[in-house]
Amino acid sequence: RIRLTESLRRVVCSNRYATGGLLKLRSTACIHFSSISESCSGPVASDEQFGGIYRVGACHPETTVGFDMQYNHQEAQEGAICVQVAYSYETIVESDDCVSL
């Protein structure tokens, strides 16, 4: 019963957030992401050392980040177009203000 209660609490709890996040964007050659200063929305900062890496200080399930992408049909080759997004974080913090079961 304790395990089920804990699982339900984690699902219902809306005060969880991740800290120390890294966001990585990659795509096929015909897709270009605009520079972050021009056309990005959300709580991100580009990494000064590595291209295509963005730092997210903290986020919760309702946090969104947006990037403008441009498609260059002249660089497109036959086959699939791929956009890959990866996100990692250091810690998940849960507030004590969560719904108690």
Side-chain angles (χ1 to χ4, degrees):
R1 179 165 190 231
I2 293 172
R3 181 182 286 168
L4 176 61
T5 301
E6 180 62 19
S7 294
L8 287 172
R9 186 186 70 77
R10 287 177 184 251
V11 169
V12 172
C13 177
S14 63
N15 293 326
R16 293 188 306 180
Y17 61 94
T19 63
L22 291 175
L23 181 68
K24 169 77 173 156
L25 299 174
R26 291 192 329 179
S27 67
T28 51
C30 61
I31 301 286
H32 300 281
F33 295 99
S34 300
S35 89
I36 192 163
S37 61
E38 295 173 359
S39 57
C40 174
S41 62
V44 298
S46 74
D47 190 281
E48 295 175 6
Q49 190 175 8
F50 302 105
I53 300 284
Y54 302 92
R55 299 195 174 271
V56 183
C59 67
H60 52 81
E62 289 81 29
T63 300
T64 58
V65 176
F67 293 90
D68 281 347
M69 299 183 295
Q70 288 143 13
Y71 172 70
N72 186 338
H73 70 282
Q74 295 171 341
E75 294 181 20
Q77 300 174 358
E78 290 186 30
I81 294 174
C82 179
V83 174
Q84 182 183 38
V85 179
Y87 180 73
S88 68
Y89 55 88
E90 293 179 9
T91 309
I92 286 198
V93 177
E94 293 189 32
S95 170
D96 290 335
D97 298 335
C98 296
V99 175
S100 59
L101 301 173

